[in-house]
Amino acid sequence: MDRRTEFEEIVRRETSRVFNVAYRLCGNYHQASDITQETFFRAYRSFHRFEGRSRISTYLYRIACNVWKNSLRRNRIQNFTSYSSGMDVKQIEDIAVAENPSHGEEATRDDRNRIIHECLDSLSPADRAIIILRDMQERSYEEIADILKCRTGTVKSRLARARQKLSGKILPFREVLNK
Amino acid sequence: MKLHGNAEIISLYMDGRLDEKLRASLESHLKDCGECREILARMQETRTLIAGAAPVKPPATLERDIIAGLPERKTFSLFFRRIYLPAIGTLAVMVIASLLIREYLPREIELQIAKTPVREQDIADKDINESGRKKIETQTDFHVAEKSKESPVHSESSGPPQAPEGKTVPADRPIAEIGREEKCIMPAEEKREAEKTMIARESAAGKPAAVMKASKDEAISLAYRKTAFSPIVIRSEDEWKKIWHTQNTMQNLSLPLPEVDFREKMVVAVPSRIEDREYLVVNTVEKADKIVVEYRELPLQQPAPAPYQMNVVNRKPAVELQKID
């Protein structure tokens, strides 16, 4: 199997996971697509340097986080992460309707997504990334430290802080989220 | 360690990251502390809610778009990145560094380089010997091949070269021209040897060519003139600067250049020492059509005199040396 074929296999296997991380990070469906594409493009360019010492998903998450951080810097003025801008809710609802006829069920799911995004949006980018990687993607502390290029101790303290802050934001919506 | 209200410990406990001892302590504390139990409960519920968020389906075409957007890998990319680009970069840095050195090399360092240390001479001489060439003795200044011991011109003479007594040097030509003429007298083989010695020395000293204040031709001509003990006639500002620089360098001095009006004047420079003999200029006489420099030959004196004895005289078409007893 040549490297391109091998990488295409990785694309098929990991696209959904990378997209979801990107989507939780930026809260924008279109931007998540762009970040995912850019992530795989960069990963392929430096794929010859990937030595397999970490999981391929860790490698891809690291690139995705960097792409996302770069986009944050580029768009510092434009607050694209605000899920409540309405545009993305509508887009997701349209996609949900197109892909699944049971519109009501998808709408409830999108409500949950919207609330979660709004809550995540209240965190700093670094804290948000740690919560997503730990509590949504179930990555170990060491992997998170590897992805975010920081020490494990930093991950521990930031995670505790982020969890406390997030609990204050998300728990008032527990009834909607548990529906 | 403080346990009460410590969110980090509680967070680690929730993820099963506490060691046995600390976990037991915290569990014991939690039994008695409602506040910490509340923190733990809130964190656990938050994690459950977050983890329960349904995954979002990516666009159906995303996979295909990603694969279509992957660049074709070029076979030379590794060579290009690892060898070609670093080589070009290194070359560029070297070129820039050499330009900067030439531009900004302080004069003091330049003077130090101009003075050839003995070790460098040895290396250069060794190179010449190894290549089966004749050894050429030199002064320790100016990188000038002063005399070739086996020079055909002086080979019959066991002592130092004798001054061409009464020889008249035309003074109506610049120093470079005189040098060229003298070179014509110099046998071709000796000239080649002198050039090779020059190049070997410069190479051994790692000295940039720009540091040389006199060109190779001028240096060779100077060497020959010194060997033959003849006067150097300076008729222009440029030549004056060169010989003044040489004089200063050889004595470790940096005296200011004396002003000479070369429209009416010229400078006659006579070497003070050739091998183991010294030449003392006693008098400089101006005649209608020439300058006569009267000198006396002496045994070696200590300390060594200045390399040249220079006199500013009125411009004349010729200069003649005259030995007196």
Side-chain angles (χ1 to χ4, degrees):
Chain A
M1 191 190 292
D2 69 356
R3 290 185 80 82
R4 189 180 175 96
T5 315
E6 188 187 348
F7 194 80
E8 285 178 9
E9 191 58 41
I10 291 167
V11 171
R12 290 188 193 95
R13 203 174 59 232
E14 301 290 339
T15 297
S16 180
R17 268 194 277 196
V18 174
F19 176 82
N20 267 279
V21 168
Y23 177 64
R24 299 299 178 193
L25 286 170
C26 70
N28 181 298
Y29 196 80
H30 278 308
Q31 197 182 0
S33 290
D34 291 345
I35 290 174
T36 308
Q37 280 202 47
E38 179 69 14
T39 298
F40 280 104
F41 181 82
R42 288 191 192 185
Y44 184 64
R45 248 183 0 193
S46 56
F47 191 49
H48 60 278
R49 288 204 294 267
F50 177 68
E51 294 166 346
R53 279 187 289 200
S54 59
R55 290 156 69 177
I56 186 71
S57 55
T58 303
Y59 175 64
L60 292 169
Y61 287 175
R62 190 189 308 145
I63 298 172
C65 284
N66 287 335
V67 173
W68 169 63
K69 281 180 199 165
N70 288 344
S71 73
L72 277 183
R73 273 196 286 272
R74 277 200 303 272
N75 301 297
R76 197 168 285 162
I77 299 168
Q78 182 193 347
N79 181 16
F80 57 77
T81 57
S82 175
Y83 190 77
S84 56
S85 60
M87 175 110 178
D88 291 300
V89 180
K90 184 73 173 64
Q91 280 173 343
I92 290 171
E93 281 178 354
D94 291 347
I95 292 161
V97 169
E99 291 179 352
N100 193 334
S102 56
H103 177 234
E105 193 181 314
E106 288 297 332
T108 310
R109 184 190 295 176
D110 292 333
D111 280 345
R112 286 204 291 266
N113 274 334
R114 181 174 52 80
I115 291 165
I116 287 169
H117 279 305
E118 280 181 354
C119 295
L120 286 173
D121 200 27
S122 66
L123 302 176
S124 72
D127 290 354
R128 197 185 322 168
I130 286 176
I131 281 280
I132 290 166
L133 291 169
R134 177 65 201 159
D135 288 344
M136 295 180 124
Q137 300 295 323
E138 296 178 338
R139 296 283 144 173
S140 69
Y141 285 31
E142 288 73 21
E143 277 182 296
I144 296 169
D146 188 17
I147 291 166
L148 299 177
K149 297 270 177 214
C150 62
R151 291 182 302 171
T152 313
T154 309
V155 174
K156 289 175 185 173
S157 56
R158 277 189 174 168
L159 182 62
R161 189 178 60 202
R163 277 172 171 165
Q164 270 205 307
K165 191 172 179 188
L166 190 62
S167 64
K169 295 281 179 185
I170 206 168
L171 290 182
F173 298 101
R174 56 161 71 93
E175 282 183 19
V176 181
L177 292 172
N178 282 326
K179 223 186 262 182
Chain B
M1 183 182 285
K2 183 192 164 194
L3 293 177
H4 180 68
N6 190 331
E8 190 173 332
I9 296 287
I10 294 170
S11 173
L12 289 170
Y13 172 73
M14 202 170 80
D15 287 335
R17 298 277 303 197
L18 289 183
D19 60 43
E20 192 64 31
K21 193 177 166 189
L22 196 54
R23 189 175 62 84
S25 301
L26 183 67
E27 282 175 349
S28 169
H29 174 73
L30 285 171
K31 278 179 191 164
D32 304 329
C33 181
E35 197 180 326
C36 286
R37 276 202 308 275
E38 175 68 14
I39 293 172
L40 176 62
R42 285 169 68 86
M43 279 191 182
Q44 281 173 331
E45 194 177 358
T46 301
R47 186 173 65 177
T48 307
L49 292 173
I50 287 287
V56 179
K57 228 177 168 179
T61 58
L62 185 59
E63 243 177 57
R64 200 175 57 228
D65 292 345
I66 290 168
I67 291 171
L70 293 178
E72 288 298 325
R73 287 184 66 79
K74 291 173 183 169
T75 51
F76 60 82
S77 65
L78 193 63
F79 166 80
F80 197 75
R81 284 183 180 195
R82 298 252 170 105
I83 298 169
Y84 184 73
L85 287 181
I88 292 289
T90 309
L91 194 65
V93 168
M94 285 169 70
V95 168
I96 292 168
S98 68
L99 288 175
L100 288 176
I101 286 169
R102 284 182 63 171
E103 187 69 21
Y104 296 110
L105 190 70
R107 186 167 174 78
E108 290 75 17
I109 295 172
E110 187 181 303
L111 290 175
Q112 283 174 10
I113 292 171
K115 285 181 6 183
T116 313
V118 174
R119 192 181 62 77
E120 291 168 3
Q121 283 187 19
D122 290 344
I123 293 165
D125 288 342
K126 190 182 167 193
D127 289 344
I128 297 298
N129 286 334
E130 281 174 359
S131 64
R133 298 292 190 182
K134 295 177 292 181
K135 184 179 177 183
I136 297 177
E137 283 190 3
T138 63
Q139 275 192 322
T140 55
D141 60 77
F142 206 48
H143 301 272
V144 173
E146 191 171 298
K147 177 183 175 296
S148 169
K149 276 185 176 172
E150 296 173 28
S151 165
V153 176
H154 306 297
S155 58
E156 70 280 1
S157 170
S158 57
Q162 295 300 313
E165 210 171 315
K167 180 185 173 187
T168 302
V169 176
D172 56 347
R173 286 162 299 152
I175 188 168
E177 282 181 24
I178 294 171
R180 278 197 284 277
E181 185 183 82
E182 300 282 355
K183 272 192 323 184
C184 293
I185 302 166
M186 187 186 285
E189 193 184 347
E190 187 181 350
K191 181 186 161 191
R192 274 201 304 280
E193 288 305 320
E195 281 177 344
K196 278 186 181 296
T197 309
M198 293 284 299
I199 293 161
R201 294 227 166 83
E202 285 173 35
S203 170
K207 184 171 68 61
V211 174
M212 289 292 289
K213 289 298 179 191
S215 70
K216 282 177 193 150
D217 282 353
E218 287 166 343
I220 291 163
S221 67
L222 279 170
Y224 194 74
R225 275 199 303 276
K226 285 191 79 176
T227 303
F229 184 58
S230 61
I232 299 170
V233 182
I234 296 112
R235 296 178 65 251
S236 74
E237 192 73 21
D238 282 349
E239 292 164 2
W240 178 224
K241 280 179 189 168
K242 280 177 190 171
I243 198 157
W244 188 255
H245 173 70
T246 307
Q247 178 93 332
N248 275 280
T249 305
M250 288 162 75
Q251 296 183 96
N252 259 341
L253 296 172
S254 54
L255 298 172
L257 182 76
E259 281 187 19
V260 178
D261 181 4
F262 283 101
R263 286 169 301 184
E264 295 178 357
K265 304 280 183 184
M266 64 183 193
V267 178
V268 177
V270 177
S272 304
R273 180 182 281 190
I274 302 286
E275 286 217 329
D276 59 349
R277 295 191 186 190
E278 282 194 7
Y279 301 93
L280 178 66
V281 174
V282 180
N283 198 12
T284 305
V285 183
E286 285 188 27
K287 296 200 172 172
D289 57 343
K290 63 184 175 186
I291 300 290
V292 178
V293 178
E294 296 174 349
Y295 71 95
R296 189 171 286 151
E297 198 173 312
L298 303 169
L300 283 186
Q301 306 284 314
Q302 289 297 336
Y308 295 102
Q309 300 159 79
M310 295 186 274
N311 280 317
V312 180
V313 294
N314 289 323
R315 285 176 84 104
K316 299 288 176 189
V319 175
E320 185 181 299
L321 286 175
Q322 208 165 68
K323 187 179 176 184
I324 56 170
D325 296 323

